[in-house]
Amino acid sequence: MARNTRRLVASLLMAATAAAGVSACSPIVTQYGTSPSDGVQVEVGSQIRGENLLILTRAEGAEGVLIGAVVNRWESPTTVNLTIGESAEAASVDVDGNSTVLLNPDAELVTIAAVAAAPGATIDVTVSSPEQGSVTVAVPVLDGTLAPYDEFLPPAPVEE
């Protein structure tokens, strides 16, 4: 019996050691940033972060807005350029040091004259700063049927 007990204890110790070794190699899921909305995130170096970026429009070719936020994690202010799609339509956003600028009609408005993709598709947006370079990310296009996006949707064109 003593021999079986030693084997059992040895087996349990080996299993516990293996489990501890495997769990030590696994990353902690909460260390990864995730977008809490339908938008996407983008890191530009260690200074600039785009959060929850998405484009709202009524239809392909209609006016749209880019909503989300731009975060400057450094103490010095910077200018963040947002280039939307291949049209090279760009907007510049001044961001103070250690601060966030919200991109929406109530704060900083970034309009797009004619969105080049239908709702449900994506458009490449390049986020850049003079200090950190640029990163391009595929940003989803939504039509504003979901709340609270409906309140940020550009007004429908007036028909004559």
Side-chain angles (χ1 to χ4, degrees), residues 17-59:
T17 303
V22 169
S23 67
C25 297
S26 300
I28 299 171
V29 175
T30 57
Q31 289 178 335
Y32 300 114
T34 60
S35 294
S37 78
D38 295 312
V40 296
Q41 293 184 3
V42 60
E43 298 272 343
V44 182
S46 59
Q47 179 184 10
I48 302 299
R49 181 181 178 106
E51 295 184 341
N52 302 320
L53 299 175
L54 60 94
I55 295 170
L56 293 174
T57 186
R58 294 186 183 280

Side-chain angles (χ1 to χ4, degrees), residues 22-104:
V22 169
S23 67
C25 297
S26 300
I28 299 171
V29 175
T30 57
Q31 289 178 335
Y32 300 114
T34 60
S35 294
S37 78
D38 295 312
V40 296
Q41 293 184 3
V42 60
E43 298 272 343
V44 182
S46 59
Q47 179 184 10
I48 302 299
R49 181 181 178 106
E51 295 184 341
N52 302 320
L53 299 175
L54 60 94
I55 295 170
L56 293 174
T57 186
R58 294 186 183 280
E60 183 174 357
E63 180 183 15
V65 293
L66 174 69
I67 66 169
V70 177
V71 179
N72 180 1
R73 294 184 277 186
W74 284 4
E75 290 182 15
S76 58
T78 190
T79 299
V80 176
N81 296 307
L82 303 160
T83 306
I84 301 157
E86 295 179 11
S87 68
E89 188 170 347
S92 294
V93 178
D94 293 324
V95 188
D96 291 333
N98 292 320
S99 66
T100 300
V101 173
L102 298 177
L103 305 175
N104 67 53

